[in-house]
mmCIF file with all atom_site columns, all heavy atoms in Angstrom:
data_model
loop_
_atom_site.group_PDB
_atom_site.id
_atom_site.type_symbol
_atom_site.label_atom_id
_atom_site.label_alt_id
_atom_site.label_comp_id
_atom_site.label_asym_id
_atom_site.label_entity_id
_atom_site.label_seq_id
_atom_site.pdbx_PDB_ins_code
_atom_site.Cartn_x
_atom_site.Cartn_y
_atom_site.Cartn_z
_atom_site.occupancy
_atom_site.B_iso_or_equiv
_atom_site.pdbx_formal_charge
_atom_site.auth_seq_id
_atom_site.auth_comp_id
_atom_site.auth_asym_id
_atom_site.auth_atom_id
_atom_site.pdbx_PDB_model_num
ATOM 1   N N   . LEU G 1 162 ? 108.978 -18.036 30.945 1.00 0.00 ? 162 LEU G N   1
ATOM 2   C CA  . LEU G 1 162 ? 108.336 -18.851 31.986 1.00 0.00 ? 162 LEU G CA  1
ATOM 3   C C   . LEU G 1 162 ? 106.882 -19.080 31.691 1.00 0.00 ? 162 LEU G C   1
ATOM 4   O O   . LEU G 1 162 ? 106.349 -20.199 31.881 1.00 0.00 ? 162 LEU G O   1
ATOM 5   C CB  . LEU G 1 162 ? 108.494 -18.177 33.332 1.00 0.00 ? 162 LEU G CB  1
ATOM 6   C CG  . LEU G 1 162 ? 108.084 -18.962 34.602 1.00 0.00 ? 162 LEU G CG  1
ATOM 7   C CD1 . LEU G 1 162 ? 108.954 -20.201 34.720 1.00 0.00 ? 162 LEU G CD1 1
ATOM 8   C CD2 . LEU G 1 162 ? 108.176 -18.093 35.829 1.00 0.00 ? 162 LEU G CD2 1
ATOM 9   N N   . LEU G 1 163 ? 106.174 -18.055 31.200 1.00 0.00 ? 163 LEU G N   1
ATOM 10  C CA  . LEU G 1 163 ? 104.743 -18.225 30.756 1.00 0.00 ? 163 LEU G CA  1
ATOM 11  C C   . LEU G 1 163 ? 104.600 -19.194 29.609 1.00 0.00 ? 163 LEU G C   1
ATOM 12  O O   . LEU G 1 163 ? 103.695 -20.041 29.608 1.00 0.00 ? 163 LEU G O   1
ATOM 13  C CB  . LEU G 1 163 ? 104.188 -16.872 30.437 1.00 0.00 ? 163 LEU G CB  1
ATOM 14  C CG  . LEU G 1 163 ? 102.709 -16.851 29.977 1.00 0.00 ? 163 LEU G CG  1
ATOM 15  C CD1 . LEU G 1 163 ? 101.787 -17.368 31.130 1.00 0.00 ? 163 LEU G CD1 1
ATOM 16  C CD2 . LEU G 1 163 ? 102.310 -15.434 29.531 1.00 0.00 ? 163 LEU G CD2 1
ATOM 17  N N   . ALA G 1 164 ? 105.512 -19.080 28.686 1.00 0.00 ? 164 ALA G N   1
ATOM 18  C CA  . ALA G 1 164 ? 105.459 -20.021 27.521 1.00 0.00 ? 164 ALA G CA  1
ATOM 19  C C   . ALA G 1 164 ? 105.723 -21.446 27.962 1.00 0.00 ? 164 ALA G C   1
ATOM 20  O O   . ALA G 1 164 ? 105.094 -22.405 27.440 1.00 0.00 ? 164 ALA G O   1
ATOM 21  C CB  . ALA G 1 164 ? 106.529 -19.587 26.509 1.00 0.00 ? 164 ALA G CB  1
ATOM 22  N N   . THR G 1 165 ? 106.585 -21.624 28.939 1.00 0.00 ? 165 THR G N   1
ATOM 23  C CA  . THR G 1 165 ? 106.831 -22.985 29.496 1.00 0.00 ? 165 THR G CA  1
ATOM 24  C C   . THR G 1 165 ? 105.561 -23.535 30.148 1.00 0.00 ? 165 THR G C   1
ATOM 25  O O   . THR G 1 165 ? 105.150 -24.703 29.913 1.00 0.00 ? 165 THR G O   1
ATOM 26  C CB  . THR G 1 165 ? 107.965 -22.975 30.502 1.00 0.00 ? 165 THR G CB  1
ATOM 27  O OG1 . THR G 1 165 ? 109.146 -22.459 29.826 1.00 0.00 ? 165 THR G OG1 1
ATOM 28  C CG2 . THR G 1 165 ? 108.235 -24.310 31.101 1.00 0.00 ? 165 THR G CG2 1
ATOM 29  N N   . ALA G 1 166 ? 104.905 -22.710 30.960 1.00 0.00 ? 166 ALA G N   1
ATOM 30  C CA  . ALA G 1 166 ? 103.662 -23.125 31.609 1.00 0.00 ? 166 ALA G CA  1
ATOM 31  C C   . ALA G 1 166 ? 102.608 -23.450 30.582 1.00 0.00 ? 166 ALA G C   1
ATOM 32  O O   . ALA G 1 166 ? 101.828 -24.506 30.709 1.00 0.00 ? 166 ALA G O   1
ATOM 33  C CB  . ALA G 1 166 ? 103.178 -22.081 32.568 1.00 0.00 ? 166 ALA G CB  1
ATOM 34  N N   . VAL G 1 167 ? 102.415 -22.675 29.542 1.00 0.00 ? 167 VAL G N   1
ATOM 35  C CA  . VAL G 1 167 ? 101.401 -22.852 28.554 1.00 0.00 ? 167 VAL G CA  1
ATOM 36  C C   . VAL G 1 167 ? 101.667 -24.148 27.707 1.00 0.00 ? 167 VAL G C   1
ATOM 37  O O   . VAL G 1 167 ? 100.818 -24.974 27.557 1.00 0.00 ? 167 VAL G O   1
ATOM 38  C CB  . VAL G 1 167 ? 101.250 -21.632 27.693 1.00 0.00 ? 167 VAL G CB  1
ATOM 39  C CG1 . VAL G 1 167 ? 100.291 -21.939 26.529 1.00 0.00 ? 167 VAL G CG1 1
ATOM 40  C CG2 . VAL G 1 167 ? 100.682 -20.459 28.437 1.00 0.00 ? 167 VAL G CG2 1
ATOM 41  N N   . THR G 1 168 ? 102.867 -24.238 27.252 1.00 0.00 ? 168 THR G N   1
ATOM 42  C CA  . THR G 1 168 ? 103.243 -25.401 26.390 1.00 0.00 ? 168 THR G CA  1
ATOM 43  C C   . THR G 1 168 ? 103.182 -26.683 27.206 1.00 0.00 ? 168 THR G C   1
ATOM 44  O O   . THR G 1 168 ? 102.776 -27.766 26.649 1.00 0.00 ? 168 THR G O   1
ATOM 45  C CB  . THR G 1 168 ? 104.593 -25.201 25.750 1.00 0.00 ? 168 THR G CB  1
ATOM 46  O OG1 . THR G 1 168 ? 105.580 -24.954 26.795 1.00 0.00 ? 168 THR G OG1 1
ATOM 47  C CG2 . THR G 1 168 ? 104.588 -24.085 24.790 1.00 0.00 ? 168 THR G CG2 1
ATOM 48  N N   . SER G 1 169 ? 103.607 -26.677 28.444 1.00 0.00 ? 169 SER G N   1
ATOM 49  C CA  . SER G 1 169 ? 103.577 -27.865 29.242 1.00 0.00 ? 169 SER G CA  1
ATOM 50  C C   . SER G 1 169 ? 102.142 -28.306 29.583 1.00 0.00 ? 169 SER G C   1
ATOM 51  O O   . SER G 1 169 ? 101.855 -29.487 29.667 1.00 0.00 ? 169 SER G O   1
ATOM 52  C CB  . SER G 1 169 ? 104.404 -27.715 30.522 1.00 0.00 ? 169 SER G CB  1
ATOM 53  O OG  . SER G 1 169 ? 103.817 -26.698 31.320 1.00 0.00 ? 169 SER G OG  1
ATOM 54  N N   . ALA G 1 170 ? 101.263 -27.358 29.741 1.00 0.00 ? 170 ALA G N   1
ATOM 55  C CA  . ALA G 1 170 ? 99.897  -27.690 30.034 1.00 0.00 ? 170 ALA G CA  1
ATOM 56  C C   . ALA G 1 170 ? 99.118  -28.163 28.793 1.00 0.00 ? 170 ALA G C   1
ATOM 57  O O   . ALA G 1 170 ? 98.224  -28.999 28.851 1.00 0.00 ? 170 ALA G O   1
ATOM 58  C CB  . ALA G 1 170 ? 99.201  -26.493 30.637 1.00 0.00 ? 170 ALA G CB  1
ATOM 59  N N   . VAL G 1 171 ? 99.499  -27.594 27.642 1.00 0.00 ? 171 VAL G N   1
ATOM 60  C CA  . VAL G 1 171 ? 98.759  -27.921 26.360 1.00 0.00 ? 171 VAL G CA  1
ATOM 61  C C   . VAL G 1 171 ? 99.341  -29.101 25.700 1.00 0.00 ? 171 VAL G C   1
ATOM 62  O O   . VAL G 1 171 ? 98.664  -30.068 25.303 1.00 0.00 ? 171 VAL G O   1
ATOM 63  C CB  . VAL G 1 171 ? 98.729  -26.711 25.497 1.00 0.00 ? 171 VAL G CB  1
ATOM 64  C CG1 . VAL G 1 171 ? 98.048  -27.073 24.152 1.00 0.00 ? 171 VAL G CG1 1
ATOM 65  C CG2 . VAL G 1 171 ? 97.959  -25.556 26.127 1.00 0.00 ? 171 VAL G CG2 1
ATOM 66  N N   . ALA G 1 172 ? 100.684 -29.129 25.538 1.00 0.00 ? 172 ALA G N   1
ATOM 67  C CA  . ALA G 1 172 ? 101.315 -30.145 24.759 1.00 0.00 ? 172 ALA G CA  1
ATOM 68  C C   . ALA G 1 172 ? 102.305 -30.968 25.548 1.00 0.00 ? 172 ALA G C   1
ATOM 69  O O   . ALA G 1 172 ? 103.212 -31.639 25.016 1.00 0.00 ? 172 ALA G O   1
ATOM 70  C CB  . ALA G 1 172 ? 102.052 -29.545 23.610 1.00 0.00 ? 172 ALA G CB  1
ATOM 71  N N   . GLY G 1 173 ? 102.184 -31.010 26.879 1.00 0.00 ? 173 GLY G N   1
ATOM 72  C CA  . GLY G 1 173 ? 103.131 -31.753 27.703 1.00 0.00 ? 173 GLY G CA  1
ATOM 73  C C   . GLY G 1 173 ? 102.908 -33.264 27.575 1.00 0.00 ? 173 GLY G C   1
ATOM 74  O O   . GLY G 1 173 ? 101.791 -33.744 27.304 1.00 0.00 ? 173 GLY G O   1
ATOM 75  N N   . THR G 1 174 ? 103.960 -34.064 27.804 1.00 0.00 ? 174 THR G N   1
ATOM 76  C CA  . THR G 1 174 ? 103.884 -35.484 27.760 1.00 0.00 ? 174 THR G CA  1
ATOM 77  C C   . THR G 1 174 ? 104.409 -36.077 29.086 1.00 0.00 ? 174 THR G C   1
ATOM 78  O O   . THR G 1 174 ? 105.012 -35.385 29.895 1.00 0.00 ? 174 THR G O   1
ATOM 79  C CB  . THR G 1 174 ? 104.766 -36.056 26.619 1.00 0.00 ? 174 THR G CB  1
ATOM 80  O OG1 . THR G 1 174 ? 106.119 -35.699 26.851 1.00 0.00 ? 174 THR G OG1 1
ATOM 81  C CG2 . THR G 1 174 ? 104.240 -35.470 25.255 1.00 0.00 ? 174 THR G CG2 1
ATOM 82  N N   . TYR G 1 175 ? 104.264 -37.349 29.288 1.00 0.00 ? 175 TYR G N   1
ATOM 83  C CA  . TYR G 1 175 ? 104.699 -38.026 30.493 1.00 0.00 ? 175 TYR G CA  1
ATOM 84  C C   . TYR G 1 175 ? 106.227 -38.291 30.466 1.00 0.00 ? 175 TYR G C   1
ATOM 85  O O   . TYR G 1 175 ? 106.833 -38.497 31.488 1.00 0.00 ? 175 TYR G O   1
ATOM 86  C CB  . TYR G 1 175 ? 104.027 -39.331 30.623 1.00 0.00 ? 175 TYR G CB  1
ATOM 87  C CG  . TYR G 1 175 ? 102.535 -39.230 31.008 1.00 0.00 ? 175 TYR G CG  1
ATOM 88  C CD1 . TYR G 1 175 ? 101.571 -39.361 30.050 1.00 0.00 ? 175 TYR G CD1 1
ATOM 89  C CD2 . TYR G 1 175 ? 102.166 -38.980 32.335 1.00 0.00 ? 175 TYR G CD2 1
ATOM 90  C CE1 . TYR G 1 175 ? 100.240 -39.206 30.385 1.00 0.00 ? 175 TYR G CE1 1
ATOM 91  C CE2 . TYR G 1 175 ? 100.823 -38.815 32.696 1.00 0.00 ? 175 TYR G CE2 1
ATOM 92  C CZ  . TYR G 1 175 ? 99.866  -38.960 31.680 1.00 0.00 ? 175 TYR G CZ  1
ATOM 93  O OH  . TYR G 1 175 ? 98.539  -38.791 32.012 1.00 0.00 ? 175 TYR G OH  1
ATOM 94  N N   . ASP G 1 176 ? 106.813 -38.136 29.311 1.00 0.00 ? 176 ASP G N   1
ATOM 95  C CA  . ASP G 1 176 ? 108.241 -38.417 29.250 1.00 0.00 ? 176 ASP G CA  1
ATOM 96  C C   . ASP G 1 176 ? 109.169 -37.216 29.655 1.00 0.00 ? 176 ASP G C   1
ATOM 97  O O   . ASP G 1 176 ? 110.177 -37.355 30.281 1.00 0.00 ? 176 ASP G O   1
ATOM 98  C CB  . ASP G 1 176 ? 108.682 -38.842 27.785 1.00 0.00 ? 176 ASP G CB  1
ATOM 99  C CG  . ASP G 1 176 ? 107.989 -40.129 27.447 1.00 0.00 ? 176 ASP G CG  1
ATOM 100 O OD1 . ASP G 1 176 ? 107.661 -40.961 28.371 1.00 0.00 ? 176 ASP G OD1 1
ATOM 101 O OD2 . ASP G 1 176 ? 107.708 -40.337 26.223 1.00 0.00 ? 176 ASP G OD2 1
ATOM 102 N N   . ASP G 1 177 ? 108.770 -36.016 29.236 1.00 0.00 ? 177 ASP G N   1
ATOM 103 C CA  . ASP G 1 177 ? 109.537 -34.858 29.543 1.00 0.00 ? 177 ASP G CA  1
ATOM 104 C C   . ASP G 1 177 ? 108.569 -33.695 29.889 1.00 0.00 ? 177 ASP G C   1
ATOM 105 O O   . ASP G 1 177 ? 108.013 -33.040 28.991 1.00 0.00 ? 177 ASP G O   1
ATOM 106 C CB  . ASP G 1 177 ? 110.405 -34.417 28.369 1.00 0.00 ? 177 ASP G CB  1
ATOM 107 C CG  . ASP G 1 177 ? 109.706 -34.652 27.010 1.00 0.00 ? 177 ASP G CG  1
ATOM 108 O OD1 . ASP G 1 177 ? 108.466 -34.494 26.994 1.00 0.00 ? 177 ASP G OD1 1
ATOM 109 O OD2 . ASP G 1 177 ? 110.421 -34.850 26.005 1.00 0.00 ? 177 ASP G OD2 1
#
Side-chain angles (χ1 to χ4, degrees):
L162 189 63
L163 179 61
T165 300
V167 172
T168 55
S169 62
V171 175
T174 63
Y175 289 99
D176 297 332
D177 40 28

